[in-house]
Amino acid sequence: MFSVVVPIHNESEGIKNFLDKELFPELEKIKKYRHEVIFVDDGSTDNSLEIIQEYAKKQKNIRIIALSRNFGKEPALSAGLAEASGDAVITIDADGQQPPKLIPEFIKKWEDGADIVTGVRDHYTKHGLIQKMGSKLFYWLLRKMGNKYTVPGSTDFRLMDRAVVDEFNRLSEHNRITRGLIDWLGFKQEYIKYTYGARLAGKPSYGMKKLFKLAIDSFVSMSTTPLVVLGYLGLIITFLSGILGLFVIIQQYVLGDPLGLYWNGAVQMAIFITFLIGIVLISQAITALYISHIHAETQSRPLYIINKKESRNLKNG
Ligand code: UDP
Ligand code: MG
């Protein structure tokens, strides 16, 4: 049996089309396994919830988690994953941007041994230049910051083996980026390229502001590189102004200004202040590193993840 988890927030305009014409027909075609569909209504203020409740009346394998308010897509996904009971769990958006006709391919890769199959969009069809450049910049930065796991363009259109879902459910941190966490988990990951379509209806609820927050969250939760960069900047500033300071002392006071620069007190003061600013930057970065360690502790991620599928004869297996 496999589960399909669909997060829903105000999708009433397009959801019927998506379910009747895309998702359900595709699922019906898969005869080999039974399936359940778990809708997570993430505090919709339109009638999305009523619409899916209608479906659930007719179909026993539809389950609905109704969150008490809008918590955001990441918590909604987590709620769905916690409820899913399939041997594999597929997460898919309700807006039709992720084509359900690829689900058989996801399942095929899973049967062939992949623990995680992630949909990777090859390009945006209806996104502006700014968004395209923004996402390029995002992945470039993420890579530079040492997150080697995340493949550019990977989305939350994904299949996960039971073993992966079980481990995911144990993670307890709050500011979660599902993508990043799953990449962090490890396991055998495969990718399927697809063309990210336009929304069937409605507006994406991830506006620029939310995307920006998502990007910042990804950086902050996954890496300390920004801090380290700041620290290095401080080091460079302190080093350069230190050398300049020494130069002034020797040139002017020891050798008696043979170069004839006549650098006055203001210049010396400027050099000294720059030197101090460098030191402030360094100490800030050091403090921030301590905070990041505290942060890592409070996330209380498990120290390691065991691949129970591949391990043998474990005591607690
Ligand atoms: N969604 C959700 N909670 C939210 C925002 C979005 O459950 O607070 C759902 C939404 O209904 C859709 C999916 O998450 O099924 C992706 O949302 P959206 O299309 O807005 O994001 P994008 O396609 O831009 O990633
Ligand atoms: Mg979308």
Side-chain angles (χ1 to χ4, degrees):
M1 209 259 283
F2 68 94
S3 312
V4 180
V5 171
V6 191
I8 295 173
H9 178 67
N10 293 352
E11 299 284 359
S12 64
E13 277 181 61
I15 185 121
K16 273 193 176 150
N17 243 333
F18 172 68
L19 296 179
D20 292 336
K21 299 215 175 96
E22 296 195 31
L23 186 63
F24 288 152
E26 279 312 322
L27 293 178
E28 285 316 314
K29 278 189 218 156
I30 301 165
K31 300 267 187 284
K32 207 161 155 192
Y33 305 98
R34 287 183 303 118
H35 66 263
E36 64 175 359
V37 180
I38 298 174
F39 292 112
V40 186
D41 177 59
D42 183 17
S44 295
T45 47
D46 59 5
N47 62 339
S48 301
L49 180 60
E50 286 79 33
I51 295 174
I52 51 177
Q53 280 168 342
E54 280 306 312
Y55 282 98
K57 272 188 203 156
K58 285 172 257 160
Q59 253 172 278
K60 276 276 164 303
N61 62 346
I62 291 181
R63 295 157 68 201
I64 297 175
I65 304 173
L67 299 183
S68 59
R69 63 168 170 86
N70 180 235
F71 282 89
K73 182 183 170 183
E74 309 291 332
L77 274 181
S78 299
L81 288 174
E83 185 67 27
S85 52
D87 304 310
V89 183
I90 297 166
T91 54
I92 186 168
D93 286 355
D95 57 8
Q97 290 187 294
Q98 306 172 340
K101 64 174 189 299
L102 288 179
I103 289 178
E105 259 182 71
F106 278 73
I107 293 181
K108 177 86 193 15
K109 285 213 189 292
W110 171 59
E111 286 173 330
D112 290 345
D115 298 311
I116 303 172
V117 188
T118 300
V120 180
R121 61 177 159 222
D122 52 3
H123 60 82
Y124 289 97
T125 28
K126 266 197 179 159
H127 270 92
L129 190 65
I130 294 177
Q131 258 171 333
K132 266 189 215 163
M133 298 206 333
S135 103
K136 281 241 162 72
L137 181 72
F138 170 71
Y139 285 109
W140 182 80
L141 277 173
L142 208 61
R143 244 154 215 272
K144 283 279 166 248
M145 290 184 191
N147 182 338
K148 296 167 286 298
Y149 326 108
T150 304
V151 168
S154 55
T155 62
D156 285 324
F157 186 15
R158 183 186 293 109
L159 178 148
M160 277 170 275
D161 186 86
R162 178 82 256 154
V164 179
V165 178
D166 284 344
E167 294 303 334
F168 182 85
N169 289 340
R170 285 175 45 207
L171 301 177
S172 61
E173 63 204 75
H174 278 108
N175 255 324
R176 46 178 51 196
I177 309 298
T178 316
R179 243 180 284 173
L181 281 178
I182 285 167
D183 291 330
W184 178 84
L185 280 177
F187 290 94
K188 193 162 170 269
Q189 190 153 184
E190 294 266 356
Y191 300 91
I192 290 183
K193 273 224 152 121
Y194 72 96
T195 307
Y196 201 61
R199 264 181 158 272
L200 286 176
K203 275 202 287 283
S205 31
Y206 277 84
M208 273 311 217
K209 222 166 117 193
K210 262 198 188 168
L211 280 177
F212 193 67
K213 179 177 182 298
L214 198 71
I216 299 280
D217 276 354
S218 312
F219 295 148
V220 174
S221 67
M222 286 295 168
S223 135
T224 53
T225 315
L227 304 175
V228 177
V229 169
L230 269 185
Y232 279 127
L233 189 68
L235 272 181
I236 292 170
I237 290 175
T238 304
F239 181 70
L240 291 182
S241 50
I243 290 195
L244 205 57
L246 274 181
F247 167 78
V248 169
I249 291 170
I250 294 172
Q251 204 278 142
Q252 207 153 325
Y253 296 105
V254 180
L255 303 177
D257 202 5
L259 296 179
L261 297 176
Y262 301 110
W263 278 358
N264 60 15
V267 177
Q268 294 168 20
M269 181 70 89
I271 295 172
F272 188 54
I273 289 178
T274 317
F275 181 77
L276 290 183
I277 289 176
I279 290 184
V280 171
L281 272 179
I282 296 171
S283 29
Q284 268 199 340
I286 293 175
T287 319
L289 279 178
Y290 279 104
I291 296 176
S292 83
H293 277 246
I294 298 170
H295 172 66
E297 290 298 333
T298 53
Q299 280 183 326
S300 65
R301 280 195 200 168
L303 264 187
Y304 50 81
I305 303 288
I306 295 177
N307 185 339
K308 294 213 171 104
K309 268 171 65 190
E310 301 295 337
S311 311
R312 300 286 180 271
N313 302 334
L314 292 185
K315 241 195 307 193
N316 307 315

